[in-house]
Amino acid sequence: MCVRDGRGPIQTSAMRRAMKELTSMNPAPPGAAGERVVRAAMRKTMWRILPFLLFAYLVCYLDRVNISFASLEMNTDVGISDSAYGIGAGVFFVAYFIFEVPSNIALTTFGPRLWIARIMITWGIIAGCMSLVRGPLSFYVLRFLMGVAEAGFFPAMILYLTQWFPREKRAQATATFFMAVPLAGLIGSPLSTWLMTVLHGVAGLRGWQAMFVIEAVPSVLGGIACLFWLVDKPAQATFLTEPERAWLVAELESETGEVSATYRHQHSILRTLLRPAVLYMALIYLGLEFGEYALGFFLPQMVQSFSDQFGTHLSLMQIGLISAIPSAVGVCCMIFWGRRSDRAQERTWHIVIPTLIGAAAIAASPFFSNFFIGMVLVSVTAAAIYSSIPVFWQLPSRYLVGTAAAVGVAVINSVGNLSGIIAPSLTGVLKDATGTYSAGYILIGVFLLFAAGGTLALHRETHRAPSGEPATSVSRASRSEV
């Protein structure tokens, strides 16, 4: 999953290709010497920041959704129904919603290095304690505590990326970081089911209990490593030379100045919360995240349901391997789509097009009585969602800076993560009520349509004048990203 050399943690060949592409895109100061400074600054920043963030979010996401694999045995062992499982999966996001904004405000006080380390260590400890679940109540309590511990982690990552990567590189940098989500499925699906199989009975533990304990360890170790590896801001980056550091700081400050000048009337926290653009983005993310979490928490059970429906018996390992297929497709698509969005400097249609394709694919899946076609359609939907989300996260930095950015990103992520409450709960209830996941598939399609419509509405809103000013006051750079 992760190896090291002198430069730090290195991930996959796909990531190495993404790094190479990123370092070749940035505009340089005049002259060959200036170009060398820019390329060196971005290359060092990429390799210092992105591998660690990818690793951190990978283990975060795996600890968040590995209950989907545990549920194949845990639900029967401790008496948890599909509805109770869906509620328990969603309780995590109740805590996440409550504590996310305070967590991101604390981030601006303590700095990313300390706060991200705190989050990783505490959530890792609680993730290991999931092995102690004895019934629905303990399941709910531990999931809630996990949400409290992890609150603010994802928006902290997004905010951190905006503080290190110029606008021209940000979508692909975010896509590289967000590879953690499909990689968690690609690696975690077979890994989790393998651990459940081979560790069953070791030290008197059931397979799912051993899996929770083993998969919690990287989070704690990663939190400790964070204290020594991350740097709070570019001005403190000793891994850059003085010219490289000066260029990066100046480039980022110039972009921040553009946003501050354009939206100078809207820096207070209250105004941030009430801005139409922030509300639009929160609702768009709600639609995107519904699809991600419905698939994330129920995909192994959906695969098992497919196999039962078509008379195919699958072992735990086979379910894990098949569940990894949508993630593999997602990894390939999201890097290509983020790169394409950065090159075109266009965001709206790079969100709308994949969400429409994903909505059509998942809504059509119940109408095909073929296992292969069903998995193809689910994979298309997963790829569409994974491709849209990194592009979506380029929108907040157009309007928000400083503390307002920390609060705005946290608000958007908090509202979006309400889907973590709604999606698994509704999916579980609909499955118990109808006996199939067909209604759940169609509901995912509806929410993706909602996200596409919200993106078009945001596009229209951003072409209006901010705070009553003429539309021409919006910077050309900002408009080009819409």
Side-chain angles (χ1 to χ4, degrees):
M1 179 161 55
C2 179
V3 297
R4 284 184 177 270
D5 69 1
R7 295 170 296 183
I10 298 178
Q11 307 293 334
T12 63
S13 58
M15 184 170 183
R16 287 193 291 272
R17 288 194 298 272
M19 297 291 193
K20 182 177 179 181
E21 177 71 20
L22 279 163
T23 56
S24 68
M25 290 170 54
N26 211 65
E35 184 176 351
R36 283 196 297 270
V37 166
V38 172
R39 290 183 181 277
M42 294 316 304
R43 183 180 65 253
K44 292 176 184 178
T45 301
M46 301 294 177
W47 284 107
R48 178 77 181 201
I49 301 296
L50 285 181
F52 184 85
L53 296 191
L54 190 152
F55 166 77
Y57 195 46
L58 189 154
V59 295
C60 159
Y61 202 82
L62 182 58
D63 284 343
R64 183 188 296 184
V65 302
N66 59 8
I67 60 167
S68 64
F69 302 102
S71 67
L72 297 172
E73 292 182 345
M74 177 185 71
N75 289 5
T76 302
D77 287 351
V78 301
I80 297 176
S81 67
D82 283 334
S83 297
Y85 167 75
I87 293 169
V91 161
F92 169 94
F93 295 97
V94 175
Y96 206 105
F97 179 81
I98 295 170
F99 291 97
E100 185 158 20
V101 172
S103 178
N104 256 36
I105 293 174
L107 171 77
T108 64
T109 301
F110 296 102
R113 183 176 62 89
L114 287 175
W115 198 245
I116 291 172
R118 192 283 303 164
I119 291 174
M120 293 185 70
I121 292 169
T122 52
W123 105 52
I125 292 170
I126 297 170
C129 290
M130 286 294 297
S131 61
L132 303 177
V133 167
R134 292 294 179 268
L137 181 58
S138 57
F139 181 51
Y140 298 158
V141 169
L142 285 168
R143 288 292 293 175
F144 183 86
L145 291 176
M146 233 182 124
V148 173
E150 195 187 313
F153 181 73
F154 181 76
M157 298 280 112
I158 294 298
L159 189 64
Y160 192 67
L161 288 171
T162 66
Q163 294 172 348
W164 282 89
F165 293 96
R167 183 185 296 123
E168 288 80 3
K169 293 184 177 295
R170 209 168 286 151
Q172 196 178 344
T174 305
T176 302
F177 154 72
F178 199 73
M179 277 200 308
V181 175
L183 280 176
L186 184 63
I187 298 170
S189 297
L191 175 64
S192 296
T193 50
W194 178 77
L195 289 172
M196 289 171 63
T197 301
V198 301
L199 296 181
H200 183 78
V202 174
L205 297 176
R206 299 281 291 170
W208 59 269
Q209 293 175 310
M211 183 266 292
F212 278 134
V213 172
I214 295 297
E215 292 186 353
V217 173
S219 301
V220 177
L221 296 180
I224 296 171
C226 178
L227 294 169
F228 302 96
W229 190 256
L230 287 191
V231 181
D232 280 336
K233 51 190 176 181
Q236 301 171 347
T238 57
F239 60 87
L240 298 176
T241 65
E242 183 58 39
E244 293 164 357
R245 187 163 53 247
W247 171 81
L248 184 56
V249 170
E251 184 78 5
L252 293 167
E253 286 181 350
S254 173
E255 292 181 3
T256 300
E258 287 181 12
V259 177
S260 298
T262 302
Y263 297 100
R264 58 185 176 275
H265 302 296
Q266 307 195 40
H267 285 176
S268 74
I269 292 176
L270 180 59
R271 283 181 177 272
T272 298
L273 296 175
L274 297 178
R275 288 205 47 204
V278 172
L279 298 178
Y280 275 123
M281 287 186 282
L283 294 176
I284 294 166
Y285 197 50
L286 181 75
L288 293 173
E289 287 292 83
F290 187 95
E292 181 189 338
Y293 286 124
L295 293 178
F297 286 115
F298 277 93
L299 184 57
Q301 296 182 50
M302 290 175 176
V303 172
Q304 189 175 52
S305 175
F306 273 142
S307 70
D308 293 341
Q309 179 182 349
F310 302 120
T312 305
H313 175 73
L314 298 174
S315 68
L316 273 177
M317 278 297 298
Q318 289 172 324
I319 291 173
L321 291 170
I322 293 172
S323 298
I325 293 172
S327 299
V329 177
V331 168
C332 297
C333 292
M334 67 192 306
I335 292 298
F336 163 77
W337 202 244
R339 180 185 304 169
R340 191 180 189 282
S341 177
D342 271 348
R343 283 178 170 170
Q345 281 297 290
E346 196 284 329
R347 311 303 186 194
T348 297
W349 292 105
H350 281 79
I351 300 171
V352 171
I353 290 173
T355 51
L356 291 177
I357 293 172
I362 197 68
S365 62
F367 302 101
F368 289 90
S369 56
N370 181 282
F371 183 89
F372 175 76
I373 294 176
M375 286 307 303
V376 167
L377 292 173
V378 169
S379 297
V380 168
T381 303
I385 294 168
Y386 293 147
S387 297
S388 301
I389 291 176
V391 178
F392 165 80
W393 277 113
Q394 309 322 301
L395 301 180
S397 61
R398 294 187 61 247
Y399 314 104
L400 306 169
V401 294
T403 302
V407 173
V409 169
V411 168
I412 293 165
N413 196 57
S414 293
V415 174
N417 274 330
L418 288 176
S419 282
I421 304 170
I422 303 168
S425 301
L426 283 180
T427 305
V429 168
L430 289 172
K431 169 61 166 57
D432 280 345
T434 64
T436 73
Y437 288 104
S438 297
Y441 296 146
I442 294 172
L443 194 59
I444 292 172
V446 170
F447 270 83
L448 290 177
L449 287 176
F450 177 76
T455 304
L456 293 174
L458 175 65
H459 177 75
R460 185 174 63 251
E461 175 68 24
T462 55
H463 282 72
R464 296 175 181 171
S467 299
E469 297 176 6
T472 54
S473 70
V474 181
S475 71
R476 188 185 313 123
S478 294
R479 284 200 307 269
S480 70
E481 288 195 20
V482 180

